[in-house]
Amino acid sequence: MTSAPAWSRTEFEAQLRARGAGYHINHPFNVRMNSGLLREDQIRGWVANRFYYQVNIPQKDGAIIANCPDRETRRKWVRRILDHDGCDGNDGGIEAWLRLGAAVGIEDGVLWSQRHVVPGVRFAVDAYVNFARQAPWQEAVCSSLTEMFAPQIHKDRLANWPAQYGWIDQAGLQYFRSRISLAERDVEHGLQVTLDHFTTRAQQERALEILQFKLDILWAMLDAIEKAYP
Ligand SMILES: O=C(O)c1cc(C(=O)O)c2c(n1)C(=O)C(=O)c1cc(C(=O)O)[nH]c1-2
């Protein structure tokens, strides 16, 4: 274990943000997706596989709540479940992803069947949910911090897809639009929990390992999708 002095909050946050270099925004499959180079079947394959991530996020967040004894945290965290599952007056992110599916030519039933989900994606997503079930809740919160880097990937899609993939109905892109402000709100809370909890240098380095674990999950998903749709 390191005996180095703890980083200040500012330096610790900078260390976390620096891990963005390993975000799946830089994965070759995402780079090609964002450059308009993917075929229709490759886009459909990505949408169908990512649906498995989308439907598992609320279970992941439910696991965090189940492990968290702090009422204030649960009160904020529960919003994430409703963001995806929907609630009165809000269809939610899963419904929005179904509309993305429709926009690229996949029927709801095909997404729900998960028949196109490849083993590597299933393994990666399941590892994320299992981590949230088994780890201390503050560690699971830390693992959600890849969302620090998500607004840019959503903005890229909104900026580029309409011109690059004219065959996609633009109404289907609403999911990406909706996530920008939600991700920013989530990160504000997730960062606060992480900066409060991981205070010694050894704990801060543990937080970086957890963030890397989650970056690897997202990266492994794209590796598996890239291999399935060469
Ligand atoms: O499209 C993406 O690249 C992307 C990445 C991530 C992420 O960084 O984990 C999330 C999302 N989207 C997303 O839409 C989302 O709702 C979400 C929730 C979480 C999480 O870890 O709790 N990550 C992400």
Side-chain angles (χ1 to χ4, degrees):
M1 196 152 45
T2 178
S3 57
W7 288 310
S8 68
R9 277 176 89 89
T10 310
E11 176 59 18
F12 179 29
E13 181 175 336
Q15 292 280 346
L16 290 163
R17 289 192 183 276
R19 292 296 169 114
Y23 194 51
H24 64 178
I25 199 169
N26 294 320
H27 190 286
F29 191 83
N30 189 69
V31 171
R32 280 192 287 139
M33 178 155 57
N34 195 41
S35 310
L37 296 175
L38 294 192
R39 298 184 311 269
E40 296 189 17
D41 66 300
Q42 291 173 310
I43 295 276
R44 276 195 282 274
W46 177 76
V47 169
N49 274 275
R50 257 295 294 264
F51 188 64
Y52 190 64
Y53 188 71
Q54 304 305 132
V55 295
N56 272 281
I57 290 286
Q59 286 190 261
K60 182 272 292 182
D61 287 319
I64 292 176
I65 290 174
N67 288 333
C68 177
D70 181 59
R71 183 167 73 136
E72 276 306 310
T73 304
R74 289 199 305 267
R75 188 183 281 173
K76 287 187 178 157
W77 209 267
V78 72
R79 297 179 303 197
R80 297 180 184 230
I81 296 181
L82 302 179
D83 289 342
H84 288 278
D85 283 340
C87 55
D88 294 342
N90 165 21
D91 285 345
I94 292 174
E95 202 62 38
W97 199 271
L98 292 169
R99 287 199 292 273
L100 174 63
V104 301
I106 314 175
E107 289 174 17
D108 287 9
V110 173
L111 286 184
W112 282 119
S113 77
Q114 299 178 0
R115 79 172 77 117
H116 295 295
V117 178
V118 297
V121 167
R122 200 176 284 279
F123 270 66
V125 173
D126 290 355
Y128 188 31
V129 179
N130 285 330
F131 181 73
R133 290 193 172 124
Q134 290 160 11
W137 65 271
Q138 297 95 336
E139 294 199 356
V141 168
C142 175
S143 72
S144 76
L145 286 182
T146 48
E147 279 200 283
M148 289 189 292
F149 317 120
Q152 188 58 51
I153 209 169
H154 296 309
K155 285 176 192 166
D156 285 353
R157 293 167 188 148
L158 290 165
N160 297 326
W161 283 29
Q164 291 168 341
Y165 301 108
W167 57 275
I168 300 178
D169 178 359
Q170 288 191 36
L173 306 185
Q174 178 55 29
Y175 178 79
F176 305 135
R177 203 165 289 116
S178 72
R179 281 309 304 175
I180 296 170
S181 59
L182 294 175
E184 286 167 356
R185 182 207 66 195
D186 288 353
V187 164
E188 194 180 329
H189 181 220
L191 258 181
Q192 184 197 325
V193 170
T194 301
L195 298 178
D196 285 347
H197 178 73
F198 299 86
T199 51
T200 69
R201 178 64 169 270
Q203 288 171 333
Q204 291 169 332
E205 288 181 2
R206 167 81 184 137
L208 290 176
E209 281 174 19
I210 292 164
L211 184 57
Q212 188 61 50
F213 160 75
K214 171 67 177 303
L215 289 164
D216 291 348
I217 283 169
L218 296 171
W219 196 271
M221 287 172 67
L222 287 190
D223 280 350
I225 293 169
E226 183 176 47
K227 184 148 201 311
Y229 303 93

